[in-house]
Amino acid sequence: MHDVSQRCRAEKNYENMLAPSQNKSNSDSRFSSREEKALHRLVRVYNGLRFCAGTKSFSFLFMPQKTLPRGMQSRLMQSAKKVLKNAHAPYSRFRVGATILLSNGKLFSGCNVENASYGMTTCAERTAIFSAVAQLGPKIEIRAVAVVNDHGVPCAPCGACRQVIYEFGPDAVIFFQGAHGPRQAHITELLPEGFRLQ
């Protein structure tokens, strides 16, 4: 495992390289050969975003931070909780609600709709997204997604929903119940190798 101070210095120099200050010399924003080798081993790139490899999982490195309006996360969660009551879940008895925030500020909600032919079941996240597309067309851009369930257990979007979220929101942030409490994750953290045909 590389020395932490060496890694931090390399990361700082990388940030300087991305946005060099006029007051800094070129030498200040360059890697030493040792730092360059350290970053080469630590950093992987998915969809143009850099991730730093930890001992157990990937954590974000140099991820641009986008903030939501004050109180928006709470509003999204409350909206998702409200709509989950409409879920059609007679087979699993597991109700899920989701609300998405679009770049234009509009919210759309959805719940899971099960079917006797289990493969025909639609998740809450996709229901919300498809509702937005039906009303506004395919040029929507998802900024955030909130997902809740009526059992209070860990419940991240499934793989299919992650790919659909990525289709309309490659920079979306997801709020959901994790194994150790509420979690927030960028869609590329949940789906590191999502694809789009655009």
Side-chain angles (χ1 to χ4, degrees), residues 45-51 166:
V45 178
Y46 291 118
N47 301 314
L49 299 173
R50 289 177 174 80
F51 293 83
Y166 186 76

Side-chain angles (χ1 to χ4, degrees), residues 148-170:
V148 300
N149 67 82
D150 64 347
H151 289 255
V153 298
C155 186
C158 72
C161 286
R162 295 178 191 194
Q163 178 60 45
V164 174
I165 292 169
Y166 186 76
E167 176 81 11
F168 297 101

Side-chain angles (χ1 to χ4, degrees), residues 96 125 147 149 153-159 161-162 174-178 183 190:
V96 180
E125 299 92 322
V147 185
N149 67 82
V153 298
C155 186
C158 72
C161 286
R162 295 178 191 194
I174 319 298
F175 302 102
F176 60 96
Q177 181 69 23
R183 271 209 61 192
L190 299 180

Side-chain angles (χ1 to χ4, degrees), residues 30-124:
R30 292 175 181 168
F31 292 123
S32 69
S33 59
R34 186 176 181 185
E35 290 167 345
E36 188 173 353
K37 289 178 181 178
L39 276 183
H40 180 72
R41 294 190 183 99
L42 286 169
V43 179
R44 297 180 67 183
V45 178
Y46 291 118
N47 301 314
L49 299 173
R50 289 177 174 80
F51 293 83
C52 184
T55 56
K56 294 183 179 179
S57 63
F58 288 107
S59 59
F60 285 107
L61 178 63
F62 318 130
M63 175 63 70
Q65 299 297 315
K66 290 191 176 182
T67 58
L68 296 178
R70 180 185 294 271
M72 181 55 71
Q73 179 180 348
S74 176
R75 184 180 172 190
L76 288 170
M77 298 299 283
Q78 289 301 319
S79 179
K81 288 178 182 177
K82 183 178 179 180
V83 76
L84 73 76
K85 297 176 182 177
N86 296 331
H88 176 64
Y91 310 108
S92 71
R93 301 192 183 281
F94 189 82
R95 293 176 173 81
V96 180
T99 297
I100 64 173
L101 169 67
L102 303 182
S103 58
N104 62 9
K106 292 186 177 182
L107 302 182
F108 287 85
S109 297
C111 56
N112 58 322
V113 180
E114 296 180 351
N115 193 279
S117 176
Y118 294 162
M120 300 298 102
T121 294
T122 301
C123 298

Side-chain angles (χ1 to χ4, degrees), residues 14-21 24:
Y14 191 91
E15 289 177 312
N16 291 339
M17 183 180 288
L18 292 179
S21 169
K24 293 183 178 181

